[in-house]
Amino acid sequence: IMSLFGEVPQATPVAVFKLSNDFKEDANPKKVNLGVGAYRTDEGQPWVLPVVKKVEKIIVADNSLNHEYLAILGLPEFRSSASKIALGEDSPAIQENRVGAVQCLGGTGALKMGAEFLRRWYNGNDNTKTPVYVSAPTWENHNAVFANAGFEDVRPYKYWDAEKRGLDLDGFLGDLESAPKHSIFVLHACAHNPTGTDPTHVEWMQVAEVMKRRKLFVFFDSAYQGFASGCLDKDAWAVRYFVTQGFEMFCAQSFSKNFGLYNERVGNLTIVARDSDNLKRVLSQMEKIVRVTWSNPPSQGARLVAITLNTPELFAEWKDNVKTMADRVLLMRASLQAKLQALETPGTWDHITQQIGMFSFTGLNPKQVEYMIKERSIYLMASGRINMCGLTTKNIDYVAESIHETVVNVQ
Amino acid sequence: MRQTCNSDGGVGSTENVQARGITLLSIFVDTPTAEPNPETKLLADFKTDTHLRKVYLAGREYLNKEGQTSVSPLIGKIMQQICTDPTLCPEYPSSFGLPEFTRRATELVLGRDCHAIVENRVLGVQTVGCTGAVRLGAELLKHWYNVSGVWCGPVYLSSPCDDSLAGIFEAAGIQDVRRYRYWDTEQRGVGVQKMMEDLEMAPEQSVIVLSASAHCPTGSDLSQKHWRLLTQLMVRCRFFPFFLLPAQGLCHGDFQQDAWPVRLCASLGMELLCAQSFSHSFGLYGERVGHLLCVLKQSSTLLAVQSQAEKQVRALWSRPSVRGARVVATVLSNPAHHVEWQEGVKSMVERGILVRERLREKLRLLGCPGSWDHLIQQGGLYCCTGLNVQQVEFLEKRRHIYLHPNGCLNPQFCLAAPPGSLQRRHTPKLAVWLCLSTHRIIRVSCLRSPLPSL
């Protein structure tokens, strides 16, 4: 008897997972993994933040903590402190009681909850035709999350200008102007993935002006707060600016990278509404959506983050840990650029230090990327994206030489 | 709050927007308030009830002797070990979760030497609790079940069932959700005949959601004889079984017996899904340790289904959280730990049986009309009293005793100090006695040892 799954086609593998697998199986001792989206120390190892180790011990020793289900919307002290991180301690929106949050499974979970809510209740009831705009390029999972939530029309908005290796502001603003009213726009709060290119303050102000005028929905994706500049407040400028401009919005936050809690899935969907009454109704619907997805979120990561954010010395230590990570990234950027310049590698490499956050869009084309992988065992995404955290003082010379060789030999 | 300049030179702050007399409607203005889910509402009503002797009997957790949820010393020790283990690194787990966990979870249900495992046609995915497992299973079915036809249901749920189940399938895009009769009020047990009648009418390729053991919320299960009849029916009608196994081991104190229906179907070469939870058996409710098992007919389909499952997970939560699964995997992989844990589960079951027996005995002593044997025939966390809607309402409104609207309760909460009561540290002897009369409204009282003087 035939299997009822007999005709299920093989899905195309998730690119970044496949890259990691290929890297694992490569026997070349000089291999370098510049594909993975996680922080690495200069020894090429994952890093448990010292403050995290400390707080884990606190949690384990605390006998008053139990293992009961968290509330459906999550740990209250996590939700409120996480929102404060995004919006600022003294955010008027918070003071006006019109900010709420849903604890979610990482940034993905936060995007998922937001997307599910918007499909059900935004721009009509169950309107699957509302266009959802994601940047070109963007984190590839954005498409899947919104499509799976039921949105039929997920489109790109112009963002990256490959020629000038920077933001295509005119294209971006043009797409905002021509988007149907009420379209949803997914904006990267800082450290754009994968290009590392963020709008300047003035450019953000221009974006906000169009979005307000055309009544477009603001959905921030904030996965790298603190990681971009090393300063939490600086990295939250865009989100906070939009709040001052009176926008209602969603902001999907991830604490995977800035807490190094990749495997505890700590995320928060911050909701800014016009007033507390609207907020309450939104949260009541969010509860329903959470209930049929994971019922209650996991407690460990949220507890850890909440304790850290709400304890002044631990908070200070965390900010310091974050700065350590951001500083190492900045150092690697500067080193790589300097080395490429010293090698007189053809082309300009200023974009490496101008870009911000974990990722850099090198500008290498697919053929060059293939060469890097096959001939040099240096693994990066087909888009030319590299994770700066994959660079160390030990491998940076090899990487710089490899880029040089690739650019010279492959066009 | 930093004030920033907007393009027309004015200062942009939220107050200014209102000051300029612009009354902007919220984009959420048309979002209605959601109906609270029944459990949340029940608990909220209980919390606002000011009656001194109020009792909540609808809890979802197993309680220890002190009336608290707890983890065993073994689990506590392992969590400490994990916390101080320098070799563990905070990497992203795979979308399928920890391999050691999925392997052990799979073996626990199917048995290590199950043909399906040996023949490599089993997929295991770590999920966010049992709800996550059901949701993932629903998404898989919706997207990939019988691709050539356009399958969109129906999915059959037992009546009654956990009240979030229908919503999970609907959220996954399967609107055609139907019920089969399960609990028979007269028999105070599973009405097998009616159940089979309903399923005989179901169209081919229906997905039937079945409780492998410790049915929620009634605690009443099918006998092995009836399972055999049911599986014959399912094979004949080409149904797809989707098992729920939220508390393996906690029904009979025997892991094999609790998973028996799943093993039966697997041994018959059927394809199936099974949603598991380790919340109850490990006391790790907050860690959301769940597992979705998928048994396929052919190993040739495994890779494809696996790749599609990965895609679904990616769009739901990307990867699961690791801590709880690590604890479970550590226990299940270590023979000594495994034995100790199983013993712990057995004693939880024994305690549960004792509570049920005490309840039944008390009712007998009070001369309560009717038969109460069903209380000890049921197993697991829940117990279905057989009280009707009016009787449950009476208990709530007049006696401040809170049961599920369908008359189901968690007997362990009968022995525990009610949360929020003045007797937090004092374990009262609580007896619920029910006098039923065909002609009168029931009277229910709580008898309790006297309150300690304040």
Side-chain angles (χ1 to χ4, degrees), chain A residues 3 9 67 205 248 281 285 296, chain B residues 5 26-27 31-32 271 286 308:
Chain A
S3 163
H67 295 275
M205 286 156 75
E248 292 179 296
R281 281 181 280 108
Q285 294 295 349
N296 323 77
Chain B
C5 291
S26 167
I27 48 185
T31 305
E271 281 182 328
Q308 296 296 346

Side-chain angles (χ1 to χ4, degrees), chain B residues 143-159:
Chain B
H143 281 87
W144 297 114
Y145 182 59
N146 198 28
V147 173
S148 52
V150 181
W151 184 84
C152 219
V155 171
Y156 279 81
L157 306 176
S158 69
S159 180

Side-chain angles (χ1 to χ4, degrees), chain B residues 132-184:
Chain B
V134 177
R135 178 61 182 266
L136 179 60
E139 296 277 353
L140 272 179
L141 289 170
K142 170 67 199 307
H143 281 87
W144 297 114
Y145 182 59
N146 198 28
V147 173
S148 52
V150 181
W151 184 84
C152 219
V155 171
Y156 279 81
L157 306 176
S158 69
S159 180
C161 67
D162 181 301
D163 49 43
S164 65
L165 273 180
I168 299 174
F169 285 96
E170 281 156 17
I174 302 170
Q175 304 302 326
D176 190 358
V177 177
R178 307 181 193 178
R179 300 297 167 115
Y180 57 86
R181 285 170 294 175
Y182 188 79
W183 170 259
D184 186 315

Side-chain angles (χ1 to χ4, degrees), chain B residues 239-316:
Chain B
F239 292 157
F240 188 100
F242 194 152
F243 283 101
L244 304 175
L245 189 56
Q248 188 182 359
L250 283 164
C251 188
H252 298 100
D254 179 330
F255 288 84
Q256 282 188 29
Q257 198 178 348
D258 285 2
W260 190 84
V262 187
R263 295 187 185 197
L264 173 64
C265 288
S267 72
L268 295 173
M270 292 172 78
E271 281 182 328
L272 59 91
L273 286 169
C274 181
Q276 304 162 253
S277 168
F278 292 86
S279 293
H280 298 294
S281 54
F282 276 80
L284 291 175
Y285 300 94
E287 311 301 339
R288 316 303 295 120
V289 193
H291 187 252
L292 179 70
L293 179 75
C294 180
V295 178
L296 299 163
K297 281 212 169 88
Q298 293 139 344
S299 58
S300 56
T301 53
L302 180 64
L303 281 178
V305 174
Q306 192 172 55
S307 68
Q308 296 296 346
E310 189 173 53
K311 275 205 124 131
Q312 293 305 319
V313 170
R314 194 101 165 101
L316 282 168

Side-chain angles (χ1 to χ4, degrees), chain A residues 1-12 14 16-17 37 40 46-48 56-57 60 66-69 72 90-92 96 98 105 108-109 112 116-117 120-122 139-141 144-145 148 205 209 217 233 237 240-241 243-246 248 250 256-257 260 262-265 272-274 278 281-282 284-285 287-288 291-300, chain B residues 1-2 4-7 12-15 24-29 31-35 37 39-40 60-61 69 71 79-80 83-84 89-93 95 128 131-132 135 141 144-148 162-164 167-168 171 205 238 240 271 279 283-288 296-298 301 303-305 307-308 310-312 314-323 326:
Chain A
I1 310 164
M2 261 299 285
S3 163
L4 288 159
F5 290 98
E7 284 170 55
V8 172
Q10 181 90 18
T12 46
V14 179
V16 68
F17 294 171
R40 292 282 180 274
W47 192 46
V48 178
E56 263 173 1
K57 294 210 174 84
V60 131
N66 60 43
H67 295 275
E68 285 175 20
Y69 290 118
I72 296 175
D90 42 6
S91 168
E96 288 157 20
R98 53 192 190 85
L105 277 271
T108 302
K112 171 69 174 173
E116 291 278 342
F117 175 90
R120 285 167 171 71
W121 302 111
Y122 174 69
W139 181 51
E140 31 73 42
N141 206 21
V145 170
N148 271 37
M205 286 156 75
E209 191 270 319
F217 186 85
D233 293 322
W237 187 88
R240 297 175 189 187
Y241 176 74
V243 173
T244 62
Q245 292 302 296
E248 292 179 296
F250 286 171
S256 294
K257 279 91 169 166
Y262 304 96
N263 58 13
E264 296 302 348
R265 314 304 297 125
V272 183
R274 184 76 57 220
N278 278 290
R281 281 181 280 108
V282 170
S284 76
Q285 294 295 349
E287 249 198 44
K288 273 194 99 161
R291 184 86 173 94
V292 295
T293 317
W294 51 65
S295 199
N296 323 77
S299 55
Q300 172 70 355
Chain B
M1 175 76 192
R2 245 179 294 140
T4 49
C5 291
N6 60 21
S7 49
S13 75
T14 48
E15 289 89 18
L24 294 158
L25 276 182
S26 167
I27 48 185
F28 305 119
V29 71
T31 305
T33 305
E35 278 295 309
N37 85 62
E39 210 179 292
T40 314
R60 279 198 285 159
E61 298 93 356
T69 60
V71 294
M79 288 202 286
Q80 286 230 339
C83 165
T84 50
C89 68
E91 288 279 84
Y92 276 126
S95 291
V128 189
T131 298
R135 178 61 182 266
L141 289 170
W144 297 114
Y145 182 59
N146 198 28
V147 173
S148 52
D162 181 301
D163 49 43
S164 65
I168 299 174
Q205 291 176 11
R238 298 186 67 210
F240 188 100
E271 281 182 328
S279 293
L284 291 175
Y285 300 94
E287 311 301 339
R288 316 303 295 120
L296 299 163
K297 281 212 169 88
Q298 293 139 344
T301 53
L303 281 178
V305 174
S307 68
Q308 296 296 346
E310 189 173 53
K311 275 205 124 131
Q312 293 305 319
R314 194 101 165 101
L316 282 168
W317 52 69
S318 211
R319 313 119 194 292
S321 64
V322 148
R323 197 176 93 126
R326 228 194 264 289

Side-chain angles (χ1 to χ4, degrees), chain B residues 99-114:
Chain B
E100 189 57 25
F101 169 77
T102 57
R103 182 175 149 214
R104 299 294 175 183
T106 300
E107 285 172 0
L108 196 64
V109 183
L110 295 178
R112 199 171 296 191
D113 37 10
C114 173

